[in-house]
Amino acid sequence: MKTKKEKLSPQAERTKHHLTEAYIELINEKGYSHVSVTDIVQRAQYNRATFYLYYLDKPDLTEELLEEMFQQIKRTSTERYEKGADILTSAMNADSFELISFVYDNRSFFNLYLVEDTIPGLHGELPQAIFEMLNEGFTFEGIASGDINSKPFKLYMAHGTAGLILEWAKTGYEKSPKEMTDTLISIVRSFASAFRVN
């Protein structure tokens, strides 16, 4: 990617945001394989030269979009806490982590998971991001014997959480973000009494 390490101006950030939004809208409407750079710039109301200031091509835009969302998924559940903090699961509430609110605020992106002709490899991204967040960010204290901090258990948690999120998307986000967060908290409480932020 051309701009990964460069500090962009607010105007450049806005332009990239508009291009990304247009790209997501178009995939939702007609599928990944039918979206061209011309489609993206026409929808975003820019010209092709502007697109090529920031991206090499459609795969480059795709890679940056997935990387950005991947990192934000990981950050949303950990940045609220100080490193080393010990949190009782009984004290958790809808404000305890922001993953579900982040998903809701970015529904157009998460709806891509429901598109048949979607971004190649997209379906592996969500559970992987959640797994890395759990594995790197938290150490759980179980309520029963067994290693709930093992890789298999955290993979199980990650895929289960991803499954709940995608099921929520399929219902058109019928439940509120608070209701979904409460559901996840009740699941966490079923196996963990506390967790430490790594």
Side-chain angles (χ1 to χ4, degrees), residues 118-137:
T118 195
I119 294 171
L122 178 67
H123 288 279
E125 293 285 333
L126 182 58
Q128 183 63 28
I130 295 170
F131 169 72
E132 288 187 16
M133 174 266 293
L134 291 169
N135 203 41
E136 297 163 10

Side-chain angles (χ1 to χ4, degrees), residues 23 26-37 39 58 62 115-120:
Y23 182 43
L26 287 161
I27 298 172
N28 274 308
E29 287 171 21
K30 60 184 191 173
Y32 171 82
S33 61
H34 299 287
V35 177
S36 67
V37 170
D39 294 329
K58 186 173 90 169
T62 305
V115 176
E116 190 173 334
D117 176 19
T118 195
I119 294 171

Side-chain angles (χ1 to χ4, degrees), residues 98-114:
E98 296 172 356
L99 176 62
I100 296 300
S101 293
F102 173 75
V103 171
Y104 190 76
D105 291 344
N106 292 277
R107 295 186 296 283
S108 59
F109 174 80
F110 287 93
N111 286 341
L112 296 179
Y113 285 89
L114 309 180

Side-chain angles (χ1 to χ4, degrees), residues 18-67:
H18 293 153
L19 290 167
T20 301
E21 273 194 332
Y23 182 43
I24 291 169
E25 284 174 14
L26 287 161
I27 298 172
N28 274 308
E29 287 171 21
K30 60 184 191 173
Y32 171 82
S33 61
H34 299 287
V35 177
S36 67
V37 170
T38 300
D39 294 329
I40 296 166
V41 297
Q42 285 178 350
R43 175 64 61 93
Q45 298 183 332
Y46 292 105
N47 56 45
R48 289 174 69 87
T50 301
F51 179 92
Y52 291 117
L53 277 175
Y54 303 109
Y55 305 107
L56 298 171
D57 49 23
K58 186 173 90 169
D60 189 39
L61 168 57
T62 305
E63 182 188 338
E64 186 170 304
L65 169 63
L66 293 180
E67 177 66 20

Side-chain angles (χ1 to χ4, degrees), residues 2-197:
K2 294 182 173 184
T3 54
K4 255 188 176 171
K5 295 181 181 171
E6 296 172 22
K7 178 73 174 160
L8 297 174
S9 69
Q11 182 181 351
E13 291 286 4
R14 268 194 309 277
T15 301
K16 291 183 74 174
H17 178 71
H18 293 153
L19 290 167
T20 301
E21 273 194 332
Y23 182 43
I24 291 169
E25 284 174 14
L26 287 161
I27 298 172
N28 274 308
E29 287 171 21
K30 60 184 191 173
Y32 171 82
S33 61
H34 299 287
V35 177
S36 67
V37 170
T38 300
D39 294 329
I40 296 166
V41 297
Q42 285 178 350
R43 175 64 61 93
Q45 298 183 332
Y46 292 105
N47 56 45
R48 289 174 69 87
T50 301
F51 179 92
Y52 291 117
L53 277 175
Y54 303 109
Y55 305 107
L56 298 171
D57 49 23
K58 186 173 90 169
D60 189 39
L61 168 57
T62 305
E63 182 188 338
E64 186 170 304
L65 169 63
L66 293 180
E67 177 66 20
E68 183 181 313
M69 296 304 288
F70 189 100
Q71 293 306 324
Q72 286 190 52
I73 289 166
K74 289 167 68 174
R75 278 197 304 270
T76 54
S77 296
T78 56
E79 62 188 6
R80 168 173 297 277
Y81 299 111
E82 286 184 31
K83 285 190 182 298
D86 290 309
I87 312 295
L88 294 173
T89 57
S90 59
M92 293 175 76
N93 58 37
D95 297 322
S96 296
F97 62 95
E98 296 172 356
L99 176 62
I100 296 300
S101 293
F102 173 75
V103 171
Y104 190 76
D105 291 344
N106 292 277
R107 295 186 296 283
S108 59
F109 174 80
F110 287 93
N111 286 341
L112 296 179
Y113 285 89
L114 309 180
V115 176
E116 190 173 334
D117 176 19
T118 195
I119 294 171
L122 178 67
H123 288 279
E125 293 285 333
L126 182 58
Q128 183 63 28
I130 295 170
F131 169 72
E132 288 187 16
M133 174 266 293
L134 291 169
N135 203 41
E136 297 163 10
F138 301 103
T139 302
F140 293 93
E141 186 176 313
I143 58 175
S145 61
D147 185 6
I148 64 170
N149 292 295
S150 66
K151 181 177 179 181
F153 193 87
K154 286 186 173 177
L155 278 170
Y156 175 78
M157 289 167 58
H159 282 270
T161 303
L164 281 172
I165 289 169
L166 297 184
E167 192 58 35
W168 186 37
K170 284 178 189 171
T171 68
Y173 307 92
E174 200 169 65
K175 288 186 175 180
S176 70
K178 181 187 182 305
E179 288 173 307
M180 281 298 295
T181 300
D182 287 343
T183 297
L184 278 176
I185 289 170
S186 69
I187 291 169
V188 171
R189 286 177 180 156
S190 73
F191 61 80
S193 59
F195 60 88
R196 169 164 287 182
V197 183

